[in-house]
Coordinates of all heavy atoms in Angstrom, one line a residue:
M197 N 7.1 -32.7 39.4 CA 6.4 -33.9 38.7 C 5.1 -34.2 39.5 O 5.1 -34.2 40.7 CB 7.4 -35.1 38.8 CG 6.8 -36.3 38.0 SD 8.0 -37.6 38.0 CE 7.6 -38.5 39.4
V198 N 4.1 -34.6 38.8 CA 2.9 -35.0 39.4 C 2.8 -36.5 39.2 O 2.8 -37.1 38.1 CB 1.6 -34.4 38.6 CG1 0.4 -34.8 39.3 CG2 1.8 -32.9 38.6
S199 N 2.8 -37.2 40.4 CA 2.9 -38.7 40.4 C 1.5 -39.3 40.4 O 0.7 -39.0 41.3 CB 3.6 -39.2 41.6 OG 4.9 -38.6 41.6
P200 N 1.2 -40.2 39.5 CA -0.1 -40.9 39.5 C -0.2 -41.9 40.7 O 0.8 -42.5 41.0 CB -0.2 -41.6 38.2 CG 1.2 -41.7 37.7 CD 2.0 -40.6 38.3
V201 N -1.3 -42.0 41.3 CA -1.5 -42.9 42.4 C -2.6 -43.9 42.0 O -3.6 -43.5 41.5 CB -2.0 -42.1 43.7 CG1 -2.5 -43.0 44.8 CG2 -0.9 -41.2 44.2
H202 N -2.3 -45.2 42.1 CA -3.1 -46.2 41.6 C -3.9 -47.0 42.7 O -4.8 -47.8 42.4 CB -2.4 -47.2 40.7 CG -1.7 -46.5 39.5 ND1 -2.4 -45.9 38.5 CD2 -0.4 -46.2 39.3 CE1 -1.6 -45.4 37.6 NE2 -0.3 -45.5 38.1
T203 N -3.4 -46.9 43.9 CA -4.0 -47.7 45.0 C -4.2 -46.8 46.3 O -3.5 -45.8 46.4 CB -3.1 -48.9 45.4 OG1 -1.9 -48.4 46.0 CG2 -2.8 -49.8 44.2
K204 N -5.0 -47.2 47.1 CA -5.2 -46.5 48.4 C -3.9 -46.5 49.2 O -3.6 -45.5 49.9 CB -6.4 -47.2 49.2 CG -6.6 -46.7 50.6 CD -7.5 -45.5 50.7 CE -8.0 -45.2 52.1 NZ -7.1 -44.4 52.9
A205 N -3.2 -47.6 49.1 CA -1.9 -47.7 49.9 C -0.9 -46.7 49.4 O -0.2 -46.0 50.2 CB -1.3 -49.1 49.7
E206 N -0.9 -46.5 48.0 CA 0.0 -45.5 47.5 C -0.4 -44.1 47.9 O 0.4 -43.2 48.2 CB 0.0 -45.5 45.9 CG 0.7 -46.7 45.3 CD 0.6 -46.7 43.8 OE1 0.0 -45.8 43.2 OE2 1.2 -47.6 43.2
F207 N -1.7 -43.9 48.0 CA -2.3 -42.6 48.4 C -1.9 -42.3 49.9 O -1.4 -41.2 50.2 CB -3.8 -42.6 48.3 CG -4.4 -41.3 48.7 CD1 -4.5 -40.2 47.8 CD2 -5.0 -41.1 49.9 CE1 -5.0 -39.0 48.2 CE2 -5.6 -39.9 50.3 CZ -5.6 -38.9 49.4
D208 N -2.1 -43.3 50.7 CA -1.7 -43.2 52.2 C -0.3 -42.9 52.3 O 0.1 -42.1 53.2 CB -2.2 -44.4 52.9 CG -3.7 -44.6 53.0 OD1 -4.4 -43.6 52.8 OD2 -4.1 -45.7 53.3
E209 N 0.6 -43.6 51.5 CA 2.0 -43.4 51.6 C 2.4 -41.9 51.2 O 3.2 -41.3 51.8 CB 2.7 -44.4 50.7 CG 4.2 -44.4 50.8 CD 4.8 -44.7 52.2 OE1 4.2 -45.6 52.9 OE2 5.8 -44.2 52.6
A210 N 1.7 -41.4 50.2 CA 2.0 -40.0 49.7 C 1.6 -39.0 50.8 O 2.3 -38.0 51.0 CB 1.2 -39.8 48.4
L211 N 0.6 -39.3 51.6 CA 0.1 -38.4 52.6 C 1.1 -38.3 53.8 O 1.0 -37.4 54.6 CB -1.3 -38.8 53.2 CG -2.4 -38.6 52.2 CD1 -3.7 -38.8 53.0 CD2 -2.4 -37.2 51.6
K212 N 2.1 -39.2 53.8 CA 3.1 -39.2 54.9 C 4.2 -38.1 54.6 O 5.0 -37.9 55.5 CB 3.8 -40.6 55.0 CG 2.8 -41.6 55.6 CD 3.5 -43.0 55.6 CE 2.6 -44.1 56.1 NZ 3.2 -45.4 56.0
H213 N 4.1 -37.5 53.4 CA 5.0 -36.4 53.1 C 5.0 -35.4 54.2 O 3.9 -35.0 54.6 CB 4.7 -35.8 51.7 CG 5.5 -34.7 51.3 ND1 6.8 -34.9 50.9 CD2 5.3 -33.4 51.2 CE1 7.3 -33.7 50.5 NE2 6.4 -32.8 50.7
S214 N 6.1 -34.8 54.6 CA 6.2 -33.9 55.7 C 5.6 -32.5 55.4 O 5.2 -31.8 56.3 CB 7.6 -33.8 56.2 OG 8.4 -33.2 55.1
G215 N 5.5 -32.2 54.1 CA 4.9 -30.8 53.8 C 3.5 -30.9 53.2 O 2.8 -31.8 53.6
L216 N 3.3 -30.1 52.3 CA 2.0 -30.0 51.6 C 1.9 -31.1 50.6 O 2.8 -31.3 49.8 CB 1.8 -28.6 51.0 CG 0.5 -28.4 50.2 CD1 -0.6 -28.3 51.2 CD2 0.6 -27.1 49.4
V217 N 0.7 -31.8 50.5 CA 0.4 -32.7 49.5 C -0.7 -32.2 48.6 O -1.7 -31.8 49.2 CB 0.1 -34.1 50.0 CG1 -0.2 -35.1 48.9 CG2 1.2 -34.7 50.9
V218 N -0.5 -32.0 47.3 CA -1.5 -31.5 46.4 C -2.0 -32.7 45.6 O -1.3 -33.4 45.0 CB -0.8 -30.5 45.4 CG1 -1.9 -29.9 44.5 CG2 -0.1 -29.4 46.2
V219 N -3.3 -32.9 45.8 CA -4.0 -34.1 45.2 C -4.9 -33.6 44.0 O -5.9 -32.9 44.3 CB -4.8 -34.9 46.2 CG1 -5.3 -36.1 45.6 CG2 -4.0 -35.2 47.4
D220 N -4.6 -34.0 42.8 CA -5.5 -33.7 41.7 C -6.4 -34.9 41.4 O -6.0 -36.0 41.0 CB -4.6 -33.5 40.5 CG -5.3 -33.3 39.2 OD1 -6.5 -33.0 39.2 OD2 -4.7 -33.5 38.1
F221 N -7.7 -34.7 41.8 CA -8.7 -35.7 41.5 C -9.2 -35.4 40.1 O -9.8 -34.3 39.9 CB -9.8 -35.7 42.5 CG -9.5 -36.3 43.8 CD1 -9.0 -35.6 44.9 CD2 -9.7 -37.7 44.0 CE1 -8.7 -36.1 46.1 CE2 -9.4 -38.3 45.3 CZ -8.9 -37.5 46.3
F222 N -9.0 -36.3 39.2 CA -9.3 -36.1 37.8 C -10.0 -37.3 37.1 O -10.1 -38.4 37.8 CB -8.0 -35.8 37.0 CG -7.2 -37.0 36.6 CD1 -7.2 -37.5 35.3 CD2 -6.5 -37.7 37.6 CE1 -6.5 -38.6 35.0 CE2 -5.8 -38.8 37.3 CZ -5.8 -39.3 36.0
A223 N -10.4 -37.1 35.9 CA -11.0 -38.3 35.1 C -10.4 -38.1 33.7 O -10.2 -37.0 33.2 CB -12.5 -38.2 35.0
T224 N -10.1 -39.3 33.1 CA -9.5 -39.3 31.8 C -10.4 -38.6 30.7 O -9.9 -38.1 29.7 CB -9.1 -40.7 31.3 OG1 -10.3 -41.5 31.4 CG2 -8.0 -41.3 32.2
W225 N -11.7 -38.7 30.9 CA -12.6 -38.1 30.0 C -13.0 -36.6 30.2 O -13.8 -36.0 29.5 CB -13.9 -38.9 30.0 CG -14.4 -39.2 31.4 CD1 -14.2 -40.3 32.1 CD2 -15.1 -38.3 32.3 NE1 -14.7 -40.2 33.4 CE2 -15.3 -39.0 33.5 CE3 -15.7 -37.1 32.1 CZ2 -16.0 -38.4 34.6 CZ3 -16.3 -36.5 33.2 CH2 -16.5 -37.2 34.4
C226 N -12.4 -36.0 31.2 CA -12.7 -34.7 31.6 C -11.8 -33.6 30.9 O -10.6 -33.6 31.1 CB -12.5 -34.6 33.1 SG -12.4 -33.0 33.8
G227 N -12.4 -32.8 30.1 CA -11.7 -31.8 29.3 C -11.0 -30.8 30.2 O -9.8 -30.5 30.0
P228 N -11.6 -30.2 31.2 CA -10.9 -29.2 32.1 C -9.8 -29.9 32.8 O -8.8 -29.2 33.1 CB -12.0 -28.8 33.1 CG -13.3 -28.9 32.3 CD -13.1 -30.2 31.5
C229 N -9.8 -31.2 33.1 CA -8.7 -31.9 33.7 C -7.5 -31.9 32.8 O -6.4 -31.7 33.3 CB -9.1 -33.4 34.1 SG -10.5 -33.5 35.2
K230 N -7.7 -32.1 31.6 CA -6.7 -32.2 30.6 C -6.0 -30.8 30.4 O -4.8 -30.6 30.2 CB -7.2 -32.7 29.2 CG -7.5 -34.1 29.2 CD -8.1 -34.6 27.9 CE -8.6 -36.0 28.1 NZ -9.5 -36.4 27.0
M231 N -6.9 -29.7 30.6 CA -6.4 -28.4 30.5 C -5.5 -28.0 31.7 O -4.5 -27.3 31.5 CB -7.6 -27.4 30.4 CG -7.2 -26.0 30.1 SD -8.5 -24.8 30.5 CE -8.2 -24.5 32.2
I232 N -5.9 -28.4 32.9 CA -5.1 -28.0 34.1 C -3.9 -28.9 34.3 O -3.0 -28.4 35.0 CB -6.1 -28.1 35.3 CG1 -5.6 -27.2 36.4 CG2 -6.3 -29.5 35.8 CD1 -5.7 -25.7 36.2
A233 N -3.8 -30.1 33.7 CA -2.7 -31.0 34.0 C -1.3 -30.3 33.7 O -0.4 -30.4 34.6 CB -2.8 -32.3 33.2
P234 N -1.1 -29.7 32.6 CA 0.2 -29.1 32.4 C 0.5 -27.9 33.3 O 1.7 -27.7 33.7 CB 0.2 -28.6 30.9 CG -1.2 -28.7 30.5 CD -1.9 -29.6 31.4
I235 N -0.5 -27.3 33.8 CA -0.3 -26.2 34.7 C 0.1 -26.7 36.1 O 1.0 -26.2 36.8 CB -1.6 -25.3 34.9 CG1 -1.9 -24.6 33.5 CG2 -1.6 -24.3 36.0 CD1 -3.3 -24.1 33.3
L236 N -0.5 -27.9 36.5 CA -0.1 -28.5 37.7 C 1.3 -29.0 37.6 O 2.1 -28.9 38.6 CB -1.0 -29.7 38.1 CG -2.4 -29.2 38.6 CD1 -3.4 -30.4 38.7 CD2 -2.3 -28.5 39.9
T237 N 1.7 -29.5 36.5 CA 3.1 -30.0 36.3 C 4.1 -28.8 36.5 O 5.1 -28.9 37.1 CB 3.3 -30.6 34.9 OG1 2.4 -31.7 34.8 CG2 4.7 -31.0 34.6
K238 N 3.7 -27.6 35.9 CA 4.5 -26.4 36.0 C 4.6 -26.0 37.5 O 5.7 -25.7 38.0 CB 3.9 -25.3 35.2 CG 4.6 -24.0 35.2 CD 4.0 -23.0 34.3 CE 4.4 -21.6 34.7 NZ 3.3 -20.8 35.3
F239 N 3.5 -26.0 38.2 CA 3.5 -25.7 39.6 C 4.3 -26.6 40.4 O 5.0 -26.3 41.4 CB 2.1 -25.6 40.2 CG 1.3 -24.4 39.8 CD1 -0.1 -24.5 39.8 CD2 1.9 -23.2 39.4 CE1 -0.9 -23.4 39.4 CE2 1.1 -22.1 39.0 CZ -0.3 -22.2 39.0
S240 N 4.3 -27.9 40.0 CA 5.1 -28.9 40.8 C 6.6 -28.7 40.6 O 7.4 -29.0 41.5 CB 4.8 -30.3 40.3 OG 5.3 -30.6 39.0
Q241 N 7.0 -28.0 39.5 CA 8.4 -27.7 39.3 C 8.8 -26.4 40.1 O 9.9 -26.2 40.5 CB 8.7 -27.5 37.8 CG 8.6 -28.8 37.1 CD 8.4 -28.7 35.6 OE1 8.2 -27.6 35.1 NE2 8.4 -29.8 34.9
E242 N 7.8 -25.5 40.3 CA 8.0 -24.3 41.0 C 8.0 -24.5 42.6 O 8.8 -23.9 43.3 CB 6.9 -23.2 40.7 CG 7.0 -22.6 39.3 CD 5.9 -21.7 39.1 OE1 5.4 -21.0 40.0 OE2 5.5 -21.6 37.9
Y243 N 7.1 -25.3 43.0 CA 6.9 -25.6 44.4 C 7.4 -27.0 44.8 O 6.6 -27.9 45.1 CB 5.4 -25.5 44.8 CG 4.9 -24.1 44.6 CD1 4.3 -23.7 43.4 CD2 4.9 -23.2 45.7 CE1 3.8 -22.4 43.3 CE2 4.5 -21.9 45.5 CZ 3.9 -21.5 44.3 OH 3.4 -20.2 44.2
T244 N 8.7 -27.1 44.7 CA 9.3 -28.5 44.9 C 9.2 -29.0 46.3 O 9.4 -30.2 46.5 CB 10.8 -28.4 44.4 OG1 11.5 -27.4 45.2 CG2 11.0 -28.1 43.0
Q245 N 8.9 -28.2 47.3 CA 8.8 -28.7 48.6 C 7.4 -29.4 48.8 O 7.2 -30.1 49.8 CB 9.0 -27.5 49.6 CG 7.8 -26.5 49.7 CD 8.0 -25.4 48.6 OE1 8.5 -25.6 47.5 NE2 7.5 -24.2 48.9
A246 N 6.5 -29.2 47.9 CA 5.2 -29.8 48.0 C 5.2 -31.1 47.2 O 6.0 -31.2 46.2 CB 4.1 -28.9 47.5
K247 N 4.4 -32.1 47.5 CA 4.3 -33.4 46.8 C 3.0 -33.3 46.0 O 1.9 -33.0 46.5 CB 4.3 -34.5 47.7 CG 4.2 -35.9 47.0 CD 4.4 -37.0 48.0 CE 4.6 -38.3 47.4 NZ 5.8 -38.5 46.6
F248 N 3.1 -33.5 44.7 CA 1.9 -33.5 43.8 C 1.6 -34.9 43.4 O 2.4 -35.6 42.8 CB 2.3 -32.6 42.6 CG 2.3 -31.1 42.8 CD1 3.4 -30.6 43.5 CD2 1.3 -30.3 42.3 CE1 3.4 -29.2 43.7 CE2 1.3 -28.9 42.6 CZ 2.4 -28.4 43.3
I249 N 0.3 -35.3 43.6 CA -0.2 -36.6 43.1 C -1.5 -36.4 42.4 O -2.2 -35.4 42.5 CB -0.3 -37.6 44.3 CG1 -1.4 -37.1 45.3 CG2 1.0 -37.8 45.0 CD1 -1.7 -38.1 46.4
Q250 N -1.8 -37.5 41.6 CA -2.9 -37.5 40.8 C -3.8 -38.7 41.0 O -3.2 -39.8 41.1 CB -2.4 -37.5 39.3 CG -3.3 -36.9 38.3 CD -2.6 -37.0 36.9 OE1 -1.9 -37.9 36.6 NE2 -2.9 -36.0 36.1
V251 N -5.1 -38.6 41.2 CA -5.9 -39.7 41.5 C -7.0 -39.7 40.4 O -7.8 -38.8 40.3 CB -6.6 -39.6 42.9 CG1 -7.6 -40.7 43.1 CG2 -5.5 -39.6 44.0
D252 N -7.1 -40.8 39.7 CA -8.2 -41.0 38.7 C -9.4 -41.5 39.5 O -9.4 -42.6 40.1 CB -7.7 -42.1 37.7 CG -8.7 -42.3 36.6 OD1 -9.9 -42.1 36.8 OD2 -8.3 -42.7 35.5
V253 N -10.5 -40.7 39.4 CA -11.7 -40.9 40.2 C -12.4 -42.2 39.7 O -13.1 -42.8 40.5 CB -12.7 -39.8 40.2 CG1 -12.0 -38.5 40.8 CG2 -13.1 -39.4 38.8
D254 N -12.2 -42.6 38.5 CA -12.8 -43.8 38.0 C -12.0 -45.1 38.5 O -12.6 -46.1 38.7 CB -12.8 -43.8 36.4 CG -13.8 -42.8 35.9 OD1 -14.8 -42.5 36.6 OD2 -13.5 -42.2 34.9
Q255 N -10.7 -44.9 38.7 CA -9.9 -46.0 39.2 C -10.1 -46.2 40.7 O -10.1 -47.3 41.2 CB -8.4 -45.8 38.9 CG -7.9 -46.4 37.7 CD -6.3 -46.2 37.7 OE1 -5.7 -45.6 38.5 NE2 -5.7 -46.9 36.7
L256 N -10.1 -45.1 41.4 CA -10.2 -45.1 42.9 C -11.5 -44.4 43.3 O -11.4 -43.4 44.1 CB -8.9 -44.4 43.5 CG -7.6 -45.2 43.3 CD1 -6.5 -44.4 43.8 CD2 -7.7 -46.5 44.1
S257 N -12.6 -44.9 42.9 CA -13.9 -44.2 43.2 C -14.1 -44.2 44.7 O -14.7 -43.2 45.3 CB -15.0 -44.9 42.5 OG -15.1 -46.3 42.8
S258 N -13.7 -45.2 45.5 CA -13.9 -45.2 46.9 C -13.1 -44.0 47.6 O -13.6 -43.4 48.5 CB -13.4 -46.5 47.6 OG -12.1 -46.7 47.3
L259 N -12.0 -43.7 47.1 CA -11.2 -42.6 47.6 C -11.9 -41.2 47.2 O -11.9 -40.3 48.1 CB -9.8 -42.6 47.0 CG -8.7 -41.9 47.7 CD1 -8.6 -42.3 49.2 CD2 -7.4 -42.1 47.0
A260 N -12.4 -41.2 46.0 CA -13.1 -40.0 45.6 C -14.4 -39.8 46.5 O -14.7 -38.6 46.9 CB -13.5 -40.1 44.1
Q261 N -15.0 -40.8 46.8 CA -16.2 -40.8 47.7 C -15.8 -40.3 49.1 O -16.4 -39.5 49.7 CB -16.9 -42.1 47.8 CG -17.8 -42.4 46.6 CD -18.4 -43.8 46.7 OE1 -18.0 -44.6 47.4 NE2 -19.5 -43.9 45.9
E262 N -14.7 -40.9 49.6 CA -14.2 -40.5 51.0 C -13.9 -39.1 51.1 O -14.2 -38.5 52.1 CB -12.9 -41.3 51.2 CG -12.3 -41.1 52.6 CD -11.0 -41.9 52.8 OE1 -10.8 -42.9 52.2 OE2 -10.2 -41.4 53.7
Y263 N -13.4 -38.4 50.0 CA -13.1 -37.0 50.1 C -14.2 -36.2 49.4 O -14.0 -35.0 49.2 CB -11.7 -36.8 49.4 CG -10.6 -37.2 50.3 CD1 -10.0 -38.4 50.2 CD2 -10.1 -36.3 51.2 CE1 -9.0 -38.8 51.1 CE2 -9.0 -36.6 52.1 CZ -8.5 -37.9 52.0 OH -7.5 -38.3 52.8
E264 N -15.3 -36.8 49.2 CA -16.5 -36.1 48.7 C -16.3 -35.3 47.4 O -16.6 -34.1 47.3 CB -17.1 -35.2 49.8 CG -17.5 -36.0 51.0 CD -18.0 -35.1 52.1 OE1 -18.1 -33.8 52.0 OE2 -18.4 -35.7 53.2
I265 N -15.6 -36.0 46.4 CA -15.3 -35.4 45.2 C -16.5 -35.5 44.3 O -16.9 -36.7 44.0 CB -14.1 -36.0 44.5 CG1 -12.9 -36.0 45.5 CG2 -13.7 -35.4 43.2 CD1 -12.4 -34.6 46.0
S266 N -17.1 -34.4 43.8 CA -18.3 -34.5 43.0 C -18.1 -33.9 41.6 O -18.8 -34.1 40.7 CB -19.5 -33.9 43.6 OG -19.2 -32.6 44.0
S267 N -17.0 -33.1 41.5 CA -16.7 -32.4 40.2 C -15.2 -32.6 39.9 O -14.4 -32.6 40.8 CB -17.0 -30.9 40.3 OG -18.3 -30.7 40.5
M268 N -14.9 -32.7 38.6 CA -13.5 -32.8 38.2 C -13.1 -31.6 37.4 O -14.0 -31.2 36.6 CB -13.2 -34.1 37.5 CG -13.0 -35.3 38.4 SD -14.5 -35.8 39.3 CE -15.5 -36.5 38.0
P269 N -11.9 -31.1 37.5 CA -11.0 -31.5 38.5 C -11.3 -30.9 39.9 O -11.8 -29.8 39.9 CB -9.6 -31.0 38.0 CG -10.0 -29.8 37.2 CD -11.4 -30.1 36.6
T270 N -10.9 -31.6 40.9 CA -10.9 -31.1 42.3 C -9.5 -31.2 42.8 O -8.9 -32.3 42.7 CB -11.9 -31.8 43.2 OG1 -13.2 -31.5 42.7 CG2 -11.8 -31.3 44.6
I271 N -8.9 -30.1 43.2 CA -7.6 -30.2 43.8 C -7.7 -30.0 45.3 O -8.2 -29.0 45.8 CB -6.7 -29.0 43.2 CG1 -6.9 -28.8 41.7 CG2 -5.2 -29.2 43.6 CD1 -6.5 -30.0 40.8
L272 N -7.2 -31.0 46.0 CA -7.1 -30.9 47.5 C -5.7 -30.6 47.9 O -4.7 -31.1 47.4 CB -7.6 -32.2 48.1 CG -9.0 -32.6 48.0 CD1 -9.3 -33.9 48.8 CD2 -10.0 -31.5 48.3
F273 N -5.6 -29.7 48.9 CA -4.3 -29.4 49.6 C -4.4 -30.0 51.0 O -5.2 -29.6 51.8 CB -4.2 -27.9 49.6 CG -4.2 -27.3 48.2 CD1 -5.4 -26.9 47.6 CD2 -3.0 -27.1 47.5 CE1 -5.4 -26.4 46.3 CE2 -3.0 -26.5 46.2 CZ -4.2 -26.2 45.6
I274 N -3.5 -30.9 51.2 CA -3.5 -31.7 52.5 C -2.2 -31.5 53.2 O -1.1 -31.7 52.6 CB -3.7 -33.2 52.2 CG1 -5.1 -33.4 51.5 CG2 -3.7 -34.0 53.5 CD1 -5.4 -34.8 51.0
K275 N -2.3 -31.1 54.4 CA -1.1 -30.9 55.3 C -1.3 -31.6 56.6 O -2.4 -31.4 57.2 CB -0.9 -29.4 55.5 CG 0.5 -29.0 55.8 CD 0.7 -27.5 55.6 CE 2.2 -27.2 55.5 NZ 2.5 -25.8 55.3
D276 N -0.4 -32.4 57.0 CA -0.5 -33.2 58.3 C -1.7 -34.0 58.3 O -2.4 -34.1 59.3 CB -0.4 -32.2 59.5 CG 0.9 -31.5 59.5 OD1 2.0 -32.1 59.2 OD2 0.9 -30.3 59.9
G277 N -2.1 -34.6 57.1 CA -3.3 -35.4 57.1 C -4.6 -34.8 57.0 O -5.7 -35.4 56.9
A278 N -4.6 -33.4 57.1 CA -5.9 -32.7 57.0 C -6.0 -31.8 55.8 O -5.0 -31.2 55.3 CB -6.0 -31.8 58.3
V279 N -7.2 -31.8 55.2 CA -7.5 -30.9 54.0 C -7.5 -29.5 54.5 O -8.3 -29.1 55.3 CB -8.8 -31.3 53.3 CG1 -9.1 -30.3 52.2 CG2 -8.8 -32.7 52.9
V280 N -6.5 -28.7 54.0 CA -6.5 -27.3 54.4 C -7.1 -26.3 53.3 O -7.4 -25.2 53.6 CB -5.0 -26.8 54.7 CG1 -4.5 -27.6 55.9 CG2 -4.1 -27.1 53.5
S281 N -7.2 -26.8 52.1 CA -7.8 -26.0 51.1 C -8.3 -26.9 49.9 O -7.9 -28.1 49.8 CB -6.8 -25.0 50.5 OG -7.4 -24.1 49.6
K282 N -9.3 -26.4 49.1 CA -9.9 -27.2 48.1 C -10.2 -26.2 46.9 O -10.8 -25.2 47.1 CB -11.2 -27.8 48.6 CG -11.9 -28.7 47.6 CD -13.2 -29.2 48.3 CE -14.0 -30.2 47.5 NZ -15.1 -30.8 48.3
V283 N -9.8 -26.6 45.7 CA -10.2 -25.9 44.5 C -10.9 -26.8 43.6 O -10.4 -27.8 43.2 CB -8.9 -25.3 43.8 CG1 -9.3 -24.6 42.5 CG2 -8.1 -24.3 44.7
V284 N -12.1 -26.4 43.2 CA -13.0 -27.2 42.3 C -13.0 -26.5 41.0 O -13.2 -25.3 40.9 CB -14.4 -27.3 42.8 CG1 -15.3 -28.1 41.9 CG2 -14.4 -28.0 44.2
G285 N -12.6 -27.2 39.9 CA -12.6 -26.7 38.6 C -11.1 -26.3 38.2 O -10.2 -26.3 39.0
A286 N -11.0 -26.0 36.9 CA -9.7 -25.6 36.4 C -9.4 -24.1 36.7 O -9.8 -23.3 35.8 CB -9.6 -25.9 34.9
Q287 N -8.9 -23.8 37.8 CA -8.7 -22.4 38.3 C -7.3 -22.2 38.7 O -6.9 -22.3 39.8 CB -9.6 -22.1 39.4 CG -11.1 -22.3 39.2 CD -11.9 -21.8 40.4 OE1 -11.8 -20.7 40.8 NE2 -12.7 -22.7 40.9
P288 N -6.4 -21.9 37.7 CA -5.0 -21.8 38.0 C -4.7 -20.8 39.1 O -3.8 -21.0 39.9 CB -4.4 -21.4 36.6 CG -5.3 -21.9 35.6 CD -6.7 -21.8 36.3
Q289 N -5.3 -19.6 39.1 CA -5.1 -18.6 40.0 C -5.4 -19.0 41.5 O -4.6 -18.8 42.4 CB -5.8 -17.3 39.7 CG -5.1 -16.4 38.7 CD -3.7 -16.1 39.1 OE1 -2.8 -16.5 38.4 NE2 -3.4 -15.4 40.2
A290 N -6.5 -19.7 41.6 CA -6.9 -20.2 42.9 C -5.9 -21.3 43.4 O -5.6 -21.4 44.6 CB -8.3 -20.8 42.9
I291 N -5.4 -22.1 42.5 CA -4.4 -23.2 42.8 C -3.1 -22.5 43.3 O -2.5 -22.8 44.3 CB -4.2 -24.1 41.7 CG1 -5.5 -24.9 41.4 CG2 -3.0 -25.1 41.9 CD1 -5.5 -25.6 40.0
K292 N -2.7 -21.5 42.5 CA -1.5 -20.8 42.8 C -1.6 -20.1 44.2 O -0.6 -20.1 45.0 CB -1.1 -19.8 41.7 CG 0.2 -19.2 41.9 CD 0.6 -18.4 40.6 CE 2.0 -17.8 40.8 NZ 3.0 -18.6 40.3
Q293 N -2.7 -19.5 44.5 CA -2.9 -18.8 45.8 C -2.8 -19.8 46.9 O -2.2 -19.5 47.9 CB -4.3 -18.1 45.8 CG -4.5 -17.3 47.0 CD -5.8 -16.5 46.9 OE1 -6.5 -16.5 46.0 NE2 -6.1 -15.7 48.0
A294 N -3.5 -21.0 46.8 CA -3.4 -22.0 47.8 C -2.0 -22.5 48.0 O -1.5 -22.7 49.1 CB -4.3 -23.2 47.5
L295 N -1.2 -22.7 46.9 CA 0.2 -23.1 47.0 C 1.0 -22.0 47.7 O 1.8 -22.3 48.6 CB 0.8 -23.3 45.6 CG 0.4 -24.6 44.9 CD1 0.7 -24.6 43.5 CD2 1.0 -25.8 45.6
A296 N 0.8 -20.8 47.4 CA 1.5 -19.7 48.0 C 1.2 -19.6 49.5 O 2.1 -19.3 50.4 CB 1.2 -18.3 47.4
T297 N 0.0 -20.0 49.9 CA -0.4 -19.9 51.3 C 0.1 -21.1 52.1 O 0.6 -20.9 53.2 CB -2.0 -19.9 51.4 OG1 -2.5 -18.8 50.7 CG2 -2.4 -19.8 52.9
Y298 N 0.0 -22.3 51.5 CA 0.3 -23.5 52.3 C 1.6 -24.2 52.1 O 2.1 -25.0 52.8 CB -0.8 -24.5 52.2 CG -2.1 -24.0 52.7 CD1 -3.1 -23.5 51.8 CD2 -2.4 -23.8 54.0 CE1 -4.3 -23.0 52.3 CE2 -3.6 -23.3 54.5 CZ -4.5 -22.9 53.6 OH -5.7 -22.4 54.1
A299 N 2.2 -23.9 50.9 CA 3.5 -24.7 50.5 C 4.7 -24.1 51.3 O 4.7 -23.0 51.8 CB 3.7 -24.6 49.0

């Protein structure tokens, strides 16, 4: 399951997860974001040890700025509070590769 995050506090809480945290920075108006969403849901069911969250860049623009998100979708892979990988755009293969490497 990909859990939506609505506040910075929820985001910070999600980052406390002991394993990999996969963050989908998306926008409701973004076509490629809508295309990748069901694929991320599928990956969340395959990689159950990872925590999958979703951040709406229009709702949490300060968080998007903090992580230098300039294109949507941008998928960040965060482990122990540090970004270990980043995929920009709807690229299922690149996302799967990062999951295989870090999850």
Side-chain angles (χ1 to χ4, degrees):
M197 184 177 93
V198 182
S199 303
V201 168
H202 302 289
T203 66
K204 172 87 164 86
E206 286 178 2
F207 181 82
D208 292 341
E209 187 61 34
L211 290 188
K212 292 178 182 174
H213 179 71
S214 61
L216 180 69
V217 180
V218 181
V219 186
D220 173 20
F221 282 93
F222 80 104
T224 55
W225 45 263
C226 164
C229 299
K230 291 175 184 164
M231 186 195 89
I232 202 72
I235 295 167
L236 286 171
T237 299
K238 181 176 160 253
F239 286 155
S240 75
Q241 293 162 351
E242 287 176 33
Y243 296 90
T244 54
Q245 69 278 32
K247 182 171 188 69
F248 286 73
I249 61 174
Q250 205 178 37
V251 175
D252 184 332
V253 297
D254 292 326
Q255 263 189 355
L256 291 174
S257 57
S258 60
L259 201 55
Q261 284 179 336
E262 181 181 335
Y263 283 91
E264 299 177 1
I265 306 303
S266 56
S267 298
M268 277 67 71
T270 294
I271 316 299
L272 294 184
F273 299 85
I274 301 175
K275 206 164 195 177
D276 299 323
V279 176
V280 294
S281 188
K282 177 180 186 176
V283 175
V284 178
Q287 301 185 54
Q289 274 309 115
I291 294 166
K292 189 170 182 88
Q293 185 174 0
L295 283 166
T297 302
Y298 297 105

